[in-house]
Amino acid sequence: MVPNDVTSDVYAMRYRHQTALANAVLDAVVQAKIPTGDGAPPVMVTGFSLGGITAGAIAAHPGPYNIQQVVPAGSAIGTMPISPTIHVVAVEGSQDLVPTLDGATNPKTWTTVHQTGYPLVGESNPTMNPANVHNPNRYAVMAINNPTVNNDPNITRFLGGTLTVTDYTAVRK
């Protein structure tokens, strides 16, 4: 079983950072040897849907990491106690029900991008509804086309330069 299934969705909403997926992410961070302590580099955590919930949960309990930025997309994190010193840009599709599942409005100190979903390649004027708006590709297009997201210096400072991608696999025991 993988740690990013519907069970993890329910647990993440209730137990936040104490989920199999959050543990898998933190294990990957340890394997990646992300520095901690004084002088540690700033860290941005981001994710879509459950990944965004997990990013928010980790930001709310950053442990030894210097988390400075959170960018959840299509994620219900409005009730998470993220420090006001951490910059949050929450991307939410206006027709998407998932970001509303916590029943909370995002804190006013956060930037919430709340807009209609964008059509994807091959879609000519699609009808946005709860059945098709919760889509990672649609959220990526929404973020790319939104200057609040792609021109935010708190986000862009993490982009550019050399990028190394490492895949990690997690299995729930």
Side-chain angles (χ1 to χ4, degrees), residues 62-89:
Y65 300 100
N66 183 17
I67 296 177
Q68 296 291 309
Q69 177 70 54
V70 183
V71 184
S75 307
I77 69 163
T79 62
M80 294 194 178
I82 298 171
S83 168
T85 63
I86 297 175
H87 189 249
V88 180
V89 176

Side-chain angles (χ1 to χ4, degrees), residues 26-114:
L26 292 171
D27 286 347
V29 167
V30 168
Q31 290 177 43
K33 298 182 170 89
I34 303 297
T36 62
D38 291 340
V43 174
M44 176 171 65
V45 289
T46 183
F48 166 72
S49 196
L50 174 60
I53 293 169
T54 302
I58 290 170
H61 303 278
Y65 300 100
N66 183 17
I67 296 177
Q68 296 291 309
Q69 177 70 54
V70 183
V71 184
S75 307
I77 69 163
T79 62
M80 294 194 178
I82 298 171
S83 168
T85 63
I86 297 175
H87 189 249
V88 180
V89 176
V91 182
E92 300 179 355
S94 57
Q95 302 91 342
D96 191 357
L97 299 177
V98 174
T100 68
L101 292 177
D102 58 2
T105 302
N106 291 340
K108 292 187 187 317
T109 56
W110 297 3
T111 300
T112 300
V113 174
H114 192 78

